């Protein structure tokens, strides 16, 4: 059979699936994304949190160093620079909410595309095209996955305040979706899109460089022997390289904004050196595998379920007897139950979660955990949902009705209980983080500054940015000149001040000052 006929057959079967069960894979993701956006808008930060001050200052133009390390975030937020400075914090928060809602929509779509044919028990029960979940409650796994991910504290915080990490996660989620779509449609365009987006994501986040081997293995696993087709390899390499072209975006912008004082290669080198530093901190210093808390532990709750999903397991392991098959089946059930329990536990941020174990955002790990929860919930609903297994058109005995009812009830309890636990645990923290505490602190700091023209010196640029944003929100004229003491030795900083406050400083803003590495 030719490749074209195989693709045509896949697309025909995919269309049949979409017509038969269109709501769960096609409509439900939009519904869940809209509901998530509403939740995030209700709990949206009306100003800033500490972690978003740098993003607000960058878009507002309050940082004298040019942005050199996040080209995609710089590009997509560039239109917000046209807004009044008082609106920029809320606009950035709204953008994060949009990214988070889109990510959850992709999560729901990805869960709906996961194959339910990994074990013999699943293969005997799920006979739909591509083994997509087709039971009556097929909507429950995507909903559960979205609730687990969307109400998780780290994700919720990034969804309601300005964050570049949530944009990185959106790109990651799209790559995962593309790989799953390829399984359904068989069109190389999905994998080529993944290569393009992944290449662009690498320029915005050094962690995507660390995960590049995993991405290549996933491509080879999805494509099979066709991965080594020279035409496909050339196209994948070309599109991945096209995504890497975003590396030159910020150096070009810095060259234009500084009037040539910062060279193109110096700016590009600064970005590459920064990414190399973070990668070296993980691999060269042994943080990943050594120390009291090696980081490889963080990947276990997320990557082990994904690894289990990747294989089509045989019905037995060396022993074809009824007892051997029964033991293998029990082992699969136990393993899936253990993985589900661990993934749900990580969402509650125990001591071994990324947030508490190493103080990391690690949003992709939480995302993969939620994806695994969706698959595992579908696994138990399929096997214990009451559907009779079929083999050669002859029904085989299923599990006892009491066991089926118990397991199905347990999945429904998870749908109600765990999101409730996440709300009870995380909502007070979200209210505090997005509340008025930070604004009140800055107001108390600002009330002691003289109303007349004055100068405030500080070695903490964060506090200076908070003060400036507060005055901007009040639409007040800035009463004090805010100076970073650690930057006063930099000639370009004086030029920046002269452009920002032309009436208060008599520096020559057009004086050419060369950059050096200490200024970047």
């Amino acid at each position: 059979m030719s490749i074209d006929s195989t693709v045509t057959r896949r697309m025909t079967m995919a269309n049949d699936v979409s017509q038969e069960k269109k709501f769960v894979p096609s409509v439900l993701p939009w519904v869940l994304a809209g509901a998530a956006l509403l939740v995030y808008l209700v709990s949206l930060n009306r100003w800033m949190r500490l972690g978003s001050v740098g993003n607000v200052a960058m878009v507002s133009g309050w940082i004298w160093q040019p942005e050199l390390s996040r080209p995609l975030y710089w590009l997509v937020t560039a239109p917000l620079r046209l807004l009044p400075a008082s609106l920029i914090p809320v606009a950035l928060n709204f953008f994060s909410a949009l990214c988070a809602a889109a990510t959850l929509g992709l999560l729901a779509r990805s869960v709906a595309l996961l194959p339910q044919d990994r074990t013999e028990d699943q293969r005997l029960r799920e006979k739909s095209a591509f083994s997509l979940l087709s039971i009556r409650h097929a909507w429950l796994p995507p909903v559960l996955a979205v609730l687990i991910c969307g109400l998780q504290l780290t994700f919720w915080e990034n969804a309601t305040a300005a964050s570049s990490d949530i944009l990185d996660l959106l790109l990651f989620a799209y790559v995962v979706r593309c790989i799953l779509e390829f399984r359904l449609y068989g069109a190389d365009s999905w994998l080529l899109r993944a290569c393009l987006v992944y290449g662009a994501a690498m320029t915005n986040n050094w962690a995507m460089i660390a995960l590049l081997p995993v991405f290549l293995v996933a491509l080879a696993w999805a494509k099979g022997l066709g991965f080594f087709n020279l035409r496909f390899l050339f196209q994948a390499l070309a599109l991945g390289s096209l995504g890497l072209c975003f590396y030159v975006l910020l150096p070009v912008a810095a060259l234009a904004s500084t009037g040539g004082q910062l060279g193109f290669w110096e700016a590009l080198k600064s970005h590459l050196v920064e990414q190399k530093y973070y990668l070296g901190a993980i691999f060269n210093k042994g943080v990943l595998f050594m120390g009291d808390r090696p980081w490889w532990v963080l990947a276990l709750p997320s990557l082990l379920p994904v690894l289990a999903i990747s294989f089509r397991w045989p019905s037995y392991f060396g022993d074809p007897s009824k007892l051997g098959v029964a033991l293998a089946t029990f082992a699969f059930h136990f393993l899936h139950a253990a993985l589900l329990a661990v993934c749900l536990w990580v969402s509650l941020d125990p001591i071994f979660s990324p947030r508490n174990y190493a103080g990391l955002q690690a949003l992709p790990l939480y995302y993969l955990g939620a994806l695994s929860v969706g698959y595992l919930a579908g696994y138990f609903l399929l096997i214990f949902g009451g559907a009779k297994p079929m083999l050669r058109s002859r029904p085989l005995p299923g599990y006892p009705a009491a066991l089926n009812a118990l397991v199905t009830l347990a999945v429904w309890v998870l749908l109600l209980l765990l999101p409730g636990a996440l709300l009870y645990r995380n909502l007070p923290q979200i209210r505090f983080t997005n509340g008025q505490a930070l604004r009140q602190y800055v107001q108390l700091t600002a009330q002691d500054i003289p109303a007349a023209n004055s100068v405030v010196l500080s070695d903490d640029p964060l506090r200076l940015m908070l003060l400036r944003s507060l005055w901007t929100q009040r639409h007040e004229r800035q009463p004090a000149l805010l100076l970073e003491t650690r930057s006063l030795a930099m000639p370009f900083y004086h030029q920046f001040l002269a452009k920002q406050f032309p009436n208060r400083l008599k520096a020559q803003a057009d004086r050419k000052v060369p950059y050096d590495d200490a200024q970047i």
Side-chain angles (χ1 to χ4, degrees):
M1 183 179 293
S2 66
I3 295 178
D4 292 338
S5 61
T6 302
V7 172
T8 302
R9 182 176 61 86
R10 281 174 171 262
M11 294 183 67
T12 302
M13 295 177 67
N15 291 333
D16 293 339
V17 172
S18 63
Q19 292 173 3
E20 178 185 359
K21 293 289 183 180
K22 185 177 181 180
F23 175 76
V24 173
S26 301
V27 179
L28 184 60
W30 289 98
V31 174
L32 294 176
L37 180 60
L38 181 62
V39 171
Y40 295 142
L41 291 181
V42 171
S43 57
L44 195 70
N45 194 312
R46 297 300 186 265
W47 188 41
M48 293 186 295
R49 62 181 176 92
L50 286 177
S52 65
V53 175
N55 293 324
V56 173
M58 183 266 290
V59 176
S60 301
W62 297 340
I63 300 179
W64 65 273
Q65 301 98 328
E67 174 65 31
L68 300 176
S69 61
R70 296 174 299 173
L72 292 182
Y73 191 73
W74 180 89
L75 180 63
V76 297
T77 58
L80 301 183
R81 291 172 171 81
L82 302 176
L83 296 175
S86 59
L87 298 180
I88 287 178
V90 176
L92 285 173
N93 298 343
F94 178 73
F95 174 74
S96 293
L98 285 177
C99 290
T103 300
L104 294 179
L106 291 174
L107 174 61
R109 171 71 176 175
S110 298
V111 170
L113 295 180
L114 289 174
Q116 289 289 342
D117 63 347
R118 306 293 91 178
T119 67
E120 184 68 14
D121 252 5
Q122 292 171 291
R123 291 190 287 270
L124 291 176
R125 287 169 170 80
E126 185 53 72
K127 296 300 182 181
S128 64
F130 300 105
S131 299
L132 301 183
L133 194 62
S134 60
I135 60 176
R136 182 176 59 178
H137 298 134
W139 58 269
L140 197 152
V143 171
L144 182 60
V146 166
L147 289 174
I148 295 300
C149 183
L151 297 179
Q152 198 279 325
L153 181 58
T154 304
F155 187 95
W156 200 346
E157 287 178 342
N158 284 271
T160 54
S163 170
S164 61
D165 292 328
I166 202 69
L167 175 62
D168 296 331
L169 182 63
L170 176 60
L171 300 176
F172 179 84
Y174 184 78
V175 169
V176 173
R177 182 255 177 121
C178 286
I179 295 175
L180 293 174
E181 295 280 3
F182 171 78
R183 174 185 171 272
L184 189 64
Y185 293 100
D188 287 347
S189 60
W190 284 108
L191 296 184
L192 296 178
R193 292 181 207 177
C195 293
L196 174 63
V197 173
Y198 199 93
M202 289 170 59
T203 67
N204 207 65
N205 188 354
W206 60 268
M208 300 298 284
I209 301 177
L211 293 175
L212 180 59
V214 179
F215 172 68
L216 294 177
V217 170
L219 279 184
W221 193 265
K223 184 68 175 170
L225 293 178
F227 176 79
F228 300 99
N229 181 278
L230 291 181
R231 179 184 178 186
F232 173 78
L233 287 177
F234 175 78
Q235 291 176 333
L237 181 61
L239 288 174
S241 301
L242 182 61
L244 293 177
C245 290
F246 280 99
Y247 270 120
V248 307
L249 176 62
L250 290 181
V252 170
L255 185 66
S257 63
T258 62
Q261 298 179 51
L262 175 61
F264 174 86
W265 294 112
E266 288 81 359
L268 179 60
K269 177 183 175 182
S270 175
H271 186 188
L272 296 176
V273 167
E274 179 183 355
Q275 291 191 328
K276 179 182 177 182
Y277 169 79
Y278 286 116
L279 292 172
I282 294 178
F283 294 102
N284 295 340
K285 296 183 180 180
V287 175
L288 189 61
F289 300 104
M290 300 176 62
D292 296 335
R293 294 188 173 185
W295 285 10
W296 65 267
V297 176
L298 299 175
L300 291 181
S302 301
L303 294 184
L304 280 181
V306 174
L307 187 62
I309 298 172
S310 303
F311 291 93
R312 296 182 85 251
W313 302 95
S315 58
Y316 59 89
F317 294 94
D319 185 0
S321 66
K322 290 184 178 180
L323 178 60
V325 173
L327 289 176
T329 302
F330 173 78
F332 279 123
H333 294 341
F334 178 80
L335 174 63
H336 283 73
L339 291 175
L340 179 59
V342 171
C343 290
L344 294 175
W345 192 8
V346 168
S347 69
L348 294 171
D349 283 326
I351 187 62
F352 57 87
S353 68
R355 185 185 185 95
N356 294 325
Y357 186 84
L360 298 175
Q361 296 282 339
L363 290 177
L365 296 182
Y366 287 116
Y367 181 88
L368 290 178
L371 184 73
S372 301
V373 166
Y375 167 79
L376 295 169
Y379 172 89
F380 286 108
L381 287 174
L382 174 63
I383 292 178
F384 297 96
K388 293 294 184 181
M390 299 293 294
L391 183 61
R392 296 176 183 174
S393 302
R394 178 172 58 88
L396 296 178
Y399 293 101
L403 180 60
N404 290 336
L406 182 63
V407 174
T408 304
L409 178 63
V411 177
W412 278 93
V413 169
L414 289 178
L415 177 65
L416 300 175
L417 185 61
L418 196 67
L422 288 170
L423 274 174
Y424 176 80
R425 181 187 181 96
N426 298 335
L427 185 57
Q429 179 64 39
I430 291 295
R431 285 179 173 175
F432 176 79
T433 303
N434 293 339
Q436 298 295 319
L438 181 61
R439 182 188 292 270
Q440 292 172 358
Y441 166 77
V442 181
Q443 287 174 344
L444 291 174
T445 303
Q447 70 183 11
D448 294 330
I449 298 177
N453 290 339
S454 57
V455 177
V456 176
L457 301 174
S458 176
D459 60 356
D460 184 4
L462 182 65
R463 296 185 181 184
L464 298 180
M465 294 173 191
L466 287 170
L467 281 172
R468 186 167 184 178
S469 181
L470 177 66
W471 289 322
T472 302
Q473 291 288 306
R474 293 175 173 178
H475 303 283
E476 296 178 359
R477 178 180 177 273
Q478 186 169 317
L481 181 63
L482 307 177
L483 300 180
E484 302 175 29
T485 55
R486 291 183 294 183
S487 301
L488 287 175
M490 307 298 179
F492 192 78
Y493 180 57
H494 291 266
Q495 286 186 309
F496 170 80
L497 292 175
K499 293 178 181 179
Q500 290 279 308
F501 311 102
N503 297 327
R504 303 187 63 176
L505 293 176
K506 297 186 180 299
Q508 296 180 4
D510 56 347
R511 184 168 59 93
K512 301 297 183 182
V513 181
Y515 262 95
D516 56 41
D517 292 340
Q519 290 180 278
I520 302 175

